[in-house]
């Protein structure tokens, strides 16, 4: 049969933003493939150089639509490293609550997203309903549903609103009670299992070659390589949680790890709510009004464990009012670009979307 | 967990004993940065890779037009000895070229390609590095160079939306704002420079 | 090994069929207005009308559409500066009342750009800009997305959403501490109390300024405050110095003792402590080396305009006039009765507030550009007014209020009842070693009458002299006003109290007690109110509430009066006097005597910088009067530029002066 060129995307290939995967197939076997990014390029790195330290908080969350908070956190950590800021204790715990809520929301959404390449849309509806509840909580805490602009260098912008603990607890209890239902719907469903077992596996050696991190890596190398454990930031060293791992990384294993992380995140949030001390939530970056804040010279790299792996901000300051250079390491950059080029060929056409979904390829963070 | 402080010490000793490091900075217990000469980068990265820093976390550049240099940064990570290492080196801005590290870290492929697209740095040894990646039909200088002005670019490329509303109310008087703006502009000219 | 599940496990989800959906019904999204709009234009696909639309209410913290209370808003424009999307534009509104501490402009917001980050709310200096819980808005006309927020959103009162809290606040409301000399040590000497900012502190203080320029209009000379504060922040002392000299030839003095109306108007003061504008100015002057001064004027001014001006009195007004006349190219001679120039700066204000070295730095520069000082020459005694009128093309009078005002109470004419402006010049002469400690007669315990800054100058100077003479101090201060209404500045009150001055506020003096021809004390009655119903000065006392405070001397600091003896009677007849001041137009030109200009305390007062402003305006007035008729007037390009700049910078009257 003749080789044929097909385009997956640029509409959401498995709901991860606009990017196009160019695929050459022979029958339904992929012969050659590559990602064509750029449709969501918004010039963020240049933009950040042109905004002051404080103004950047309106840009940062937009780097990744579904997971703005990790961006805010990594940016804040980088600035704090440069400015040698001590973040108030309470802010650390609030940040963890936000980050884990975000992790829940994105894991659920990705799990729901699995519904589209596998054709089981019910999963998506359920996931979105729960995400909606999380967004309601975010709205109450941060003032916005999606782009929170809440974790800022020096702490968080405002203290938690009164009574929010109740909302969070009741959501967590509800989610926990339906957790098995979630599993039954998707991953325990023999139809889905048949579809994702042994699909697009990722061998351990390949992980290092690509530079893949996060669940993709952990499910392949079977080790708890999670930045929250390995180089704990905020107060992750003061909460107990497990890092789900697997010895063999196929689509199933990755989805399974994701779901197990949901349970862990629920646990972390509960611990945060219990352990969080009272106190201030923010310190200014430096003296003066915000537009005249300056940050000492230096080069730093700060990273956090996002739902898709290591999300990092490389930042250079020349001592001025704007960052001199900000480089964003999107967590899914390796699996999105090199991964698609090297590891899709040989698989079936309809597995491409499964790679995109289970590896969490997120085009906004690749394009920036 | 292993004693992290000794991790940074371990790295610093390892690197400083084998290479001429221009400057070392221990940023915290999880991060060290080394500035080295361009020629040393490859052997240093190989050394680090064999010592456990098997992950290339990030690769990019910084433009320093006043020094007429680019600065390349390589960030590697070791999951067992949790230390991120920044390796930085400077390149001449005019000739801007650096041999690819593809043989050491295959994951650098797209990072190098992006650095070429956004800074114009060449990476001989990386086959596709000159192909466009993100900027489709780009027709200006590489945009992350400091001398690229995005505002001028967009003013040139795109039309501007002007609102037709008139909220101004001068109450029949002469504008005071114009006079104020002029005063500010005049007085600004008396400045002699200075640094922040 | 993966567990095998039955194909039916997922069927349990059917139970959700009977549960309440979690989604928000379509009809609850829209506001009434939007729903009507959709209905009217049949935009809805479902052909169903959105009827009882009751929009879902946002969270308490929601960053929705802005509201801005125009009554509270001061028009500083800080929101415009911080907005990361450049959505905010300040628009001129001259229909708003022009007031101190406000600008006649209000923000508009372009909702095509706004990202609802609320940075503008968090930095608002007056807390007038807030966000509501409204988040739905639609319109067919794109122009309708540029909105000028008011207290109401779309004409309706709406619930508050995101507002500024202490944590989200982006202003720096606390002043950088200024180091002061310790009270116990300073009260035994005349060493300057305020130490001045170091570079680091000055930069930090400068970083608090939001560059709004609200302060400028309240400064009598309209200094370029935000500009030179920015220069400090960017460490450009020379640029700052140039900007300062555009409007103020006495910056070192003003940096210490100015009444700083600007700080009262500062927009940061709405919610916090005003920027220390005065001390920042002082920082520039103190850190500018002398050779930097030489660079400010690119060319020494040699007179090119064939017209001569005489200035009488080397106080702030006279010096201000002389400086700007010189810059405009005139030949200027300043006549001063005293052996040193400076007026009240030299002979009134004590040196712990204003040391000679600071005055010298300013006046030296004025002399350096070519203003001639003729000292020890009293007009009316050593040279007559008529001669000035004849020899010069114009005359400027800035002779100030130097005579003490007396108090008409029994015993008020005793020799130990002393006027402030008799005492203070002696104090200054003692500081500069012209007088010895023995030459000044300060008793062991004294009473000062008056509640203004001058009273504190007297009281605190007396304290120092007592400490030097007797090793301990005993100074009482009494005023008509209560302590919370004292006309003096807060600094004086605080520092004076720290130095041990006892306050007897809210009392009126009735009699100086005299025994054996010696003053023994002062009899006071409680003061009930100072002004009568018509608003004129007419204090009312409670005779029942009497007290006598002891003291061997009584100092009177209830104001100064002018001395017009030097003006010949014939000329005085042509002048109009209003409460001791000479009537003149805005530029100080006297009606029907076009060659005569006045300024300073004898025209307007009440402080140093108003004197400088009068001088600057008079220079402009004199230039207009003389320039057209001058025989020789071709100027070099540099001078032309300088003339233009000096005129462009002529200050208008401030809100208080109007
Ligand atoms: C004790 C005291 C403290 C003050 N503190 C402050 C303060 O902290 N901040 C502030 O802003 N303001 C202060 N003021 C007010 C301020 O000093 C005056 O408003 C200001 O000095 C007025 O300036 P002037 O040029 O009109 O007159 P003056 O400063 O009074 O100068 C008049 C000059 O004219 C000379 N003169 C008078 N007659 C003749 C003549 N016939 N021939 C030649 N020369 C003559 C005098 O010798 C004198 O040098 C204070 C005033 C006093 C009395
Ligand atoms: S909310 Fe943010 S983007 Fe919108 S007007 Fe205010 S500062 Fe600008
Ligand atoms: S000193 Fe105050 S009023 Fe003046 S520009 Fe600065 S912030 Fe605005």
């Amino acid at each position: 049969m003749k080789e044929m060129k097909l385009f997956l995307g640029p509409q959401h290939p498995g709901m991860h933003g606009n990017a196009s995967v160019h695929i050459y197939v022979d029958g339904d076997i992929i012969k050659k493939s590559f990602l064509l990014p750029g449709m969501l390029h918004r010039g963020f790195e240049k933009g950040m150089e042109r905004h002051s330290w404080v103004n950047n908080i309106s840009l940062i969350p937009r780097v990744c639509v579904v997971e703005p908070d990790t961006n805010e956190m990594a940016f804040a950590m980088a600035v704090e490293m440069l400015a040698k800021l001590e973040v108030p204790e309470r802010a650390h715990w609030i940040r963890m609550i936000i980050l884990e809520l975000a992790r829940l929301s994105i894991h659920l959404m990705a799990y729901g997203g699995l519904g589209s390449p596998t054709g089981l849309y019910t999963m998506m509806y359920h996931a979105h309903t729960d995400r909606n509840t999380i967004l309601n909580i975010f709205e109450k805490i941060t003032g916005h549903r999606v782009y929170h602009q809440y974790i800022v260098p020096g702490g968080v912008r405002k203290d938690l609103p009164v009574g929010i603990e109740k909302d969070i607890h009741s959501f967590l209890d509800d989610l926990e009670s339906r957790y098995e239902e979630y599993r039954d719907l998707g991953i325990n469903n023999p139809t889905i299992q048949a579809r994702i077992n042994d699909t697009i596996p990722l061998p351990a050696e390949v992980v290092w070659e690509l530079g893949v991190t996060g669940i993709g890596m952990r499910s392949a190398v079977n080790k708890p390589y999670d930045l929250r454990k390995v180089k704990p930031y905020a107060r992750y060293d003061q909460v107990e949680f497990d890092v789900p791992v697997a010895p063999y990384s196929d689509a199933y294993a990755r989805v399974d790890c994701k779901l197990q992380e949901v349970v862990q995140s629920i646990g972390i949030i509960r611990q945060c709510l219990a352990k969080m001390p009272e106190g201030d939530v923010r310190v200014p970056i430096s003296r003066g009004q915000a537009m005249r804040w300056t940050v000492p010279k230096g080069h730093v790299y700060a990273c956090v464990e996002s739902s898709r792996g290591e999300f990092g901000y490389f930042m250079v300051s020349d001592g001025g009012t704007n960052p001199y250079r900000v480089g964003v390491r999107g967590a899914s950059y390796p699996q999105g670009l090199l991964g698609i080029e090297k590891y899709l060929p040989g698989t079936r056409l309809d597995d491409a979307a499964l790679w995109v979904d289970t590896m969490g390829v997120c085009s906004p963070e690749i394009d920036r | 967990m292993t004693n992290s402080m000794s991790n940074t010490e371990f790295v610093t000793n390892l690197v400083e004993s084998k290479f001429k490091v221009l400057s070392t900075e221990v940023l915290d217990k999880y991060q060290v940065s080394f500035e080295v000469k361009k020629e040393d980068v490859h052997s240093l990265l190989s050394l680090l890779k064999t010592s456990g820093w098997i992950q290339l976390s990030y690769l990019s550049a910084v433009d320093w037009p006043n020094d007429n240099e680019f600065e390349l940064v390589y960030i590697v990570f070791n999951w067992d000895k949790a230390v991120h290492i920044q390796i930085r080196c400077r390149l001449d801005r005019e000739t801007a070229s650096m041999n690819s590290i593809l043989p050491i870290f295959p994951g650098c492929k797209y990072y190098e390609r992006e650095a070429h697209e956004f800074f114009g740095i060449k990476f001989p040894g990386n086959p596709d590095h000159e192909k466009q990646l993100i900027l489709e039909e780009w027709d200006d200088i590489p945009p992350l160079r400091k001398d690229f002005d995005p505002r001028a670019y967009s003013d040139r490329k795109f039309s501007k939306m002007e609102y037709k509303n008139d909220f101004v109310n001068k109450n029949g008087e002469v504008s005071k704002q114009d006079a104020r703006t002029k005063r500010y502009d005049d007085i600004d000219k008396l400045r002699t420079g200075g640094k922040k | 090994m993966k567990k095998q599940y039955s194909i039916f496990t997922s069927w349990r989800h059917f139970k959700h069929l009977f549960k309440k959906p979690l989604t928000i019904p379509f009809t609850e999204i829209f506001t009434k207005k939007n729903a009507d709009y959709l209905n009217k234009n049949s935009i809805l696909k479902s052909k169903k009308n959105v009827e009882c639309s009751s929009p879902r209410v946002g969270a308490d913290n929601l960053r929705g559409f802005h509201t801005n209370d125009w009554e509270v808003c001061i028009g500083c424009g800080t929101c415009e500066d911080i907005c990361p999307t450049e959505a905010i534009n300040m628009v001129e509104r001259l229909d708003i009342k022009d007031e101190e501490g406000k600008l006649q402009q209000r923000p508009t917001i372009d909702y095509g750009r706004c990202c609802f980050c609320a940075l503008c709310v968090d930095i608002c200096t007056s807390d007038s800009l807030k966000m509501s819980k409204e988040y739905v808005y639609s319109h067919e006309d794109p122009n309708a997305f540029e909105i000028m927020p008011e207290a109401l959103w779309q004409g309706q009162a709406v619930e508050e959403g995101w507002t500024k809290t202490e944590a989200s606040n982006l202003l720096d409301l606390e002043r950088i501490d200024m180091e002061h000399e310790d009270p116990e040590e300073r009260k035994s000497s005349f060493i300057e109390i305020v130490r001045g900012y170091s570079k680091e502190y000055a930069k930090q203080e400068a970083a608090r300024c939001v560059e709004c320029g609200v302060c400028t209009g309240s400064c009598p000379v309209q200094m370029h405050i935000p500009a030179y504060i920015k220069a400090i922040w960017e460490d450009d002392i020379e640029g700052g110095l140039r900007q300062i000299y555009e409007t103020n030839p006495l910056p070192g003095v003003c940096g210490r003792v100015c009444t700083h109306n600007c700080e009262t108007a500062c927009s940061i003061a709405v919610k916090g402590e005003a920027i220390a504008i005065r001390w920042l100015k002082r920082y520039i002057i103190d850190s500018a080396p002398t050779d930097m001064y030489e660079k400010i004027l690119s060319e020494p001014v040699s007179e090119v305009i064939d017209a001569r001006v005489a200035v009488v009195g080397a106080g702030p007004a006279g010096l201000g006039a002389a400086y700007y006349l010189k810059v405009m190219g005139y030949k200027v001679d300043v006549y001063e009765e005293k052996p040193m120039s400076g007026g009240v700066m030299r002979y009134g204000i004590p040196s712990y507030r204003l040391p000679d070295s600071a005055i010298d730095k300013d006046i030296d520069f004025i002399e350096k550009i070519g203003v001639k000082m003729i000292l020890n020459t009293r007009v009316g005694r050593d040279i007559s007014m008529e001669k000035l009128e004849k020899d010069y093309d114009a005359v400027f009078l800035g002779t100030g209020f130097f005579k003490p005002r007396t108090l008409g109470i029994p015993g008020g004419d005793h020799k130990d009842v002393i006027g402030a402006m008799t005492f203070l010049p002696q104090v200054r002469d003692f500081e500069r070693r012209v007088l010895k400690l023995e030459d000044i007669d300060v008793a062991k315990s004294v009473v000062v009458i008056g509640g203004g800054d001058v009273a504190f100058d007297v009281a605190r100077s007396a304290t120092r002299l007592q400490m030097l003479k007797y090793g301990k101090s005993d100074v009482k201060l009494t005023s008509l006003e209560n302590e919370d209404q004292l006309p003096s500045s807060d600094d004086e009150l605080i520092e004076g109290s720290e130095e041990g001055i006892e306050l007897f506020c809210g009392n009126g003096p009735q009699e100086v007690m005299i025994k054996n021809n010696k003053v023994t004390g002062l009899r006071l009655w409680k003061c009930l109110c100072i002004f009568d119903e018509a608003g004129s000065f007419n204090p009312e006392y409670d005779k029942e509430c009497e007290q006598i405070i002891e003291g061997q001397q009584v100092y009177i600091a209830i104001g100064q009066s002018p001395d017009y003896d030097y003006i010949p009677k014939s000329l005085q007849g042509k002048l109009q006097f209003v409460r001791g001041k000479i009537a003149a137009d805005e530029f100080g030109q006297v009606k029907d005597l076009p060659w005569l200009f006045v300024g300073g305390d004898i025209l307007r007062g009440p402080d140093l910088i108003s004197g400088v402003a009068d001088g600057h305006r008079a220079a402009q007035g004199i230039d207009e009067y003389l320039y057209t008729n001058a025989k020789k007037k071709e100027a070099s390009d540099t001078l032309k530029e300088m003339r233009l700049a000096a005129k462009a910078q002529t200050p208008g009257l401030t809100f208080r002066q109007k």
Side-chain angles (χ1 to χ4, degrees), chain A residues 325-337:
Chain A
R325 162 104 174 91
V326 186
V328 182
R329 180 207 197 265
S332 60
Y333 198 89
Q335 56 261 47
L337 290 163

Side-chain angles (χ1 to χ4, degrees), chain A residues 51 55 58 129 139 141-144 148-149 157-158 181 184 188 190 197 252 282 287-290 292, chain C residues 2 5 10 12-13 15-16 22 56 59 61 63 82 84 116-117 122 163 167 170 172 174 206-207 209 211:
Chain A
H51 282 80
N55 276 359
S58 70
T129 308
E139 182 181 331
I141 300 179
T142 70
H144 265 197
H148 305 140
Q149 304 167 339
R157 260 175 110 178
K158 276 191 179 180
E181 219 173 81
D184 288 349
N188 290 350
N197 268 344
Y252 176 88
R282 184 183 196 175
R287 288 255 3 201
Q289 52 104 336
R292 287 191 178 172
Chain C
K2 282 156 207 161
Y5 288 88
S10 50
R12 61 200 265 187
H13 281 260
K15 72 179 188 214
H16 289 284
L22 285 163
R56 165 187 177 272
N61 228 357
R63 302 202 291 269
I82 200 171
F116 297 89
C117 62
D122 287 343
T163 49
L170 296 176
D172 188 346
E174 270 166 51
C209 169
E211 239 182 289

